[in-house]
Amino acid sequence: MSKHSRSPSADDPLRHPSAKRGRQIDEEDAPLSHLETFISDSMPASDKVKPRNILHWFRSKDLRIQDNKALSAASEKAQENKDSALICLYLFSPKDMEWHGTSAARTDFILGTLKGIREELAGKNIPLVCVTAEERSDKASSVLKFAKDNDISHMFANIEYEVDELRRDVKVAKLVAEEKEMTFKPMHDQTVVLPGHLTGADGSKPMKVFTPYHKTWCKYVRDNVDELLTLAPEPKANSDSSKKALSNLFDSEEYAVPSLPESKQYPPCQDPAHIRKLWPPGHTAAQTRLSHFLSKKVKTYALHRSEPAKDCTSRLSPYFSSGSLSAREAVVACAEHNGNSYDFSEEGTGVGAWVREICFREFYRHMLALYPHTSMNLPQNLKFEGVIWEDKCGDKKREEAAEENWHKWVEGKTGYPLVDAGMRQLNSEAYLHNRARMNVASFLRTNLLVDYRRGERYFAETLVDWDLANNTQGWEPSYTVFNPVAQADRLDKEGEYIKHWVPELKGVKTGKAAADPEGRLGPKEVDNMGYVRKCVNFDETKVRAVETYKKGIRAVDL
């Protein structure tokens, strides 16, 4: 087997199956299909099991009590029997966080959100317990044990579309099915329109290109508002007697929201207090930010959204990725701002342009459902699996040079100011403007020709808003190459963004000079400012990347 098809180490977080296996998973072994088929064929129907205690299982993508489909359904089921109580659970798996590379900032944000939810639910006499799975292999059994110990008859949860999480749910479903008088109902909640639902003109195949998907999505949403955008009610309170009966779940330290694990402490380049101030957790913070965006920023969003120095974006991505704010809530708020119109087809308007970004998030989940291999360290276009990256080429000198360039990229010292500004913002704020994300990703996978999976992983390990579907699509190898100098000339004309994050260039007089100090002021001036020279030649490395991509693609036999 080629060294490029699979990492030899089982502990390597970048290991991946072969391209052929990835294609087989998509076509014959898709875990979402396995889950839905098993639930349909083998799980007792909800109405066939007498309600006892009801469990809602929170995931890291549905952390809210408002407009939460599974939580609302669980509450409704609990109301069917006066002796039933609603219990909520969050499965805390530190080794899962290690495996997926979850950043300290995102972990902290999730735990802070859980503390707020626990208080909200306690006000309704509903306990939220955090159950810890010490090993990744313990996840399914840990949930089932809690369910059995607490007389659970019905378990509800919202579906996550990544392969690992779907396979976990299949295991849980099989364990539940072996029990008597217990059932498990996974529900779709992450999107307005179900992944895989929108098809081409002939209705036979799901759509795979964003522009027609967006057009169809807008029309479908506009024509089905009641079905798609009726918000789920909050859970109803448990009785006082239920709270007394479940007092151990409220009071036990065993079930408290855990502290930030030792392995997830903030790196020295990040100030935890500053990060927490930038990203206060919870649904209330999300709603406040959404309201501010719609009232103060959305008018100029379409015009300035790609300019990283402008404060015109919503900065809601951490709330979407954690589920602190639902896509439905956001779209409904946009409609209210839009004169109660659900017609978002006009991209030139601020609201239409922003809803298009919500649609993009939905499209990425749609593509993840269609191509589950993309959550397994494989490119969507499996032909790119044949690319031989500089850091894995087998030539010692080239690999050492690639490793040196990798560290320059990480530290924001490539000599390309827009790239360096982006990486320094990322390292400081655990966040990065979307246009800067595109540029730093393009630079690593094309001009440095370093395996894109390393950059993808670094984003996961650093971003507060990391989301697998978005992240993998953003890092997808392609022939699109961003020129960071041209991008800065167009989108940071005065050099404000660059000068803020690259203070070595604060004294540069023009935006043009800030975009390319070495090319426009000369290497000696760059040295005098204390900045770094370019680590590679853009034009030469662009040609090299295109040639390498073409050669790699030709080498793959699917």
Side-chain angles (χ1 to χ4, degrees):
M1 180 179 289
S2 165
K3 68 177 280 188
H4 304 288
S5 62
R6 181 187 288 272
S7 165
S9 171
D11 295 325
D12 181 2
L14 301 187
R15 68 186 176 96
H16 51 278
S18 67
K20 283 188 176 180
R21 174 58 181 148
R23 183 176 180 181
Q24 182 187 33
I25 288 170
D26 295 346
E27 296 176 352
E28 305 170 16
D29 198 20
L32 180 58
S33 295
H34 289 326
L35 177 63
E36 291 178 333
T37 299
F38 186 85
I39 294 294
S40 175
D41 295 349
S42 305
M43 187 63 62
S46 181
D47 60 357
K48 300 298 183 183
V49 177
K50 182 180 178 181
R52 300 187 305 280
N53 286 336
I54 313 300
L55 183 70
H56 170 68
W57 176 4
F58 278 107
R59 275 81 190 277
S60 61
K61 301 178 187 68
D62 72 337
L63 297 179
R64 65 186 182 279
I65 71 169
Q66 300 80 8
D67 188 39
N68 186 315
K69 286 191 174 182
L71 175 59
S72 187
S75 175
E76 185 178 343
K77 178 59 66 175
Q79 298 303 309
E80 293 180 10
N81 185 339
K82 64 180 179 64
D83 295 323
S84 295
L86 174 61
I87 300 172
C88 293
L89 174 146
Y90 180 81
L91 183 66
F92 184 63
S93 176
K95 290 193 175 180
D96 235 24
M97 289 180 164
E98 284 296 300
W99 177 249
H100 292 301
T102 310
S103 70
R106 175 163 163 77
T107 304
D108 194 25
F109 187 84
I110 287 171
L111 295 177
T113 304
L114 285 169
K115 289 176 182 176
I117 291 175
R118 197 168 197 244
E119 291 180 6
E120 286 183 279
L121 290 173
K124 295 175 176 284
N125 294 338
I126 301 170
L128 168 62
V129 301
C130 290
V131 172
T132 298
E134 298 296 343
E135 301 294 333
R136 295 185 70 219
S137 58
D138 295 340
K139 290 182 291 185
S141 59
S142 296
V143 172
L144 185 71
K145 182 180 186 303
F146 180 85
K148 291 172 68 174
D149 289 348
N150 290 276
D151 196 28
I152 299 298
S153 61
H154 294 72
M155 186 189 307
F156 292 82
N158 291 312
I159 294 173
E160 297 175 286
Y161 298 105
E162 296 82 0
V163 165
D164 281 356
E165 284 69 26
L166 288 167
R167 288 176 173 170
R168 171 206 63 200
D169 284 355
V170 170
K171 288 181 181 178
V172 170
K174 289 180 177 179
L175 290 173
V176 169
E178 292 175 0
E179 299 296 319
K180 293 182 178 179
E181 297 300 310
M182 187 185 294
T183 188
F184 176 39
K185 187 175 178 63
M187 302 180 68
H188 292 280
D189 176 76
Q190 283 192 40
T191 58
V192 175
V193 179
L194 290 184
H197 183 74
L198 297 184
T199 58
D202 62 359
S204 63
K205 294 182 179 180
M207 306 182 80
K208 298 179 182 179
V209 178
F210 177 71
T211 299
Y213 179 90
H214 172 244
K215 182 178 180 180
T216 304
W217 185 92
C218 285
K219 183 179 186 305
Y220 187 72
V221 169
R222 186 182 68 235
D223 294 346
N224 298 275
V225 170
D226 289 344
E227 175 190 347
L228 301 176
L229 293 169
T230 298
L231 303 184
E234 290 188 19
K236 294 183 179 179
N238 283 336
S239 65
D240 291 340
S241 59
S242 292
K243 181 177 182 179
K244 185 176 180 180
L246 300 173
S247 60
N248 63 310
L249 302 183
F250 287 97
D251 303 333
S252 173
E253 282 298 315
E254 177 187 359
Y255 295 132
V257 176
S259 301
L260 203 60
E262 195 62 38
S263 62
K264 292 297 175 186
Q265 298 300 307
Y266 282 92
C269 61
Q270 292 178 354
D271 175 7
H274 179 59
I275 298 290
R276 290 165 185 154
K277 185 177 180 180
L278 286 174
W279 315 110
H283 183 265
T284 298
Q287 285 285 7
T288 299
R289 192 162 291 198
L290 175 61
S291 297
H292 178 73
F293 171 71
L294 290 175
S295 63
K296 303 294 184 182
K297 297 182 178 183
V298 77
K299 285 184 180 180
T300 60
Y301 177 78
L303 183 62
H304 296 298
R305 62 184 173 180
S306 294
E307 300 173 46
K310 304 287 187 183
D311 181 23
C312 69
T313 62
S314 70
R315 293 175 75 91
L316 278 166
S317 51
Y319 302 93
F320 282 126
S321 66
S322 64
S324 299
L325 180 71
S326 78
R328 293 179 297 276
E329 288 179 297
V331 172
V332 168
C334 285
E336 291 173 354
H337 182 81
N338 201 34
N340 292 319
S341 169
Y342 286 87
D343 184 355
F344 302 114
S345 57
E346 293 296 324
E347 295 178 35
T349 66
V351 171
W354 192 65
V355 171
R356 183 177 182 271
E357 298 305 309
I358 295 175
C359 180
F360 245 126
R361 295 182 67 87
E362 304 229 337
F363 179 69
Y364 289 158
R365 278 148 190 74
H366 170 84
M367 295 302 287
L368 177 58
L370 294 183
Y371 298 105
H373 77 258
T374 58
S375 68
M376 304 176 75
N377 289 323
L378 284 170
Q380 182 176 308
N381 182 350
L382 289 164
K383 288 282 188 177
F384 275 97
E385 185 53 20
V387 172
I388 297 178
W389 306 96
E390 284 294 290
D391 55 328
K392 299 177 180 177
C393 67
D395 182 296
K396 185 178 179 182
K397 287 186 177 180
R398 286 166 58 193
E399 288 185 350
E400 287 176 350
E403 199 63 27
E404 183 178 344
N405 284 336
W406 159 259
H407 288 291
K408 290 178 180 178
W409 179 82
V410 167
E411 295 169 8
K413 296 180 179 179
T414 66
Y416 287 85
L418 183 60
V419 173
D420 294 343
M423 293 306 297
R424 295 183 193 189
Q425 180 187 20
L426 171 63
N427 291 332
S428 175
E429 293 190 344
Y431 173 83
L432 185 56
H433 186 279
N434 190 53
R435 180 59 58 161
R437 294 186 198 210
M438 295 177 185
N439 276 272
V440 302
S442 172
F443 191 80
L444 184 74
R445 63 172 170 76
T446 54
N447 300 103
L448 301 187
L449 207 59
V450 168
D451 188 343
Y452 75 97
R453 281 169 281 245
R454 294 180 70 182
E456 190 177 83
R457 177 76 178 189
Y458 189 77
F459 269 28
E461 292 173 339
T462 312
L463 286 167
V464 68
D465 63 0
W466 177 77
D467 172 280
L468 187 141
N470 287 30
N471 205 35
T472 52
Q473 289 289 330
W475 278 96
E476 177 68 17
S478 76
Y479 288 106
T480 300
V481 181
F482 286 84
N483 183 327
V485 174
Q487 289 275 302
D489 283 343
R490 185 166 67 90
L491 300 171
D492 192 29
K493 293 180 180 179
E494 303 302 319
E496 295 174 77
Y497 179 71
I498 286 172
K499 291 178 184 180
H500 178 79
W501 290 107
V502 186
E504 302 97 297
L505 303 178
K506 273 191 174 180
V508 173
K509 293 183 179 180
T510 68
K512 287 277 188 182
D516 186 10
E518 183 175 340
R520 292 164 178 168
L521 299 176
K524 288 186 179 180
E525 186 62 27
V526 168
D527 294 342
N528 291 337
M529 291 186 291
Y531 188 48
V532 293
R533 298 190 186 189
K534 295 175 181 177
C535 62
V536 293
N537 178 285
F538 178 83
D539 293 328
E540 291 175 1
T541 53
K542 177 182 176 180
V543 171
R544 177 188 65 174
V546 171
E547 291 175 350
T548 302
Y549 287 176
K550 288 179 178 178
K551 184 178 179 180
I553 285 174
R554 287 195 297 268
V556 173
D557 179 17
L558 293 175

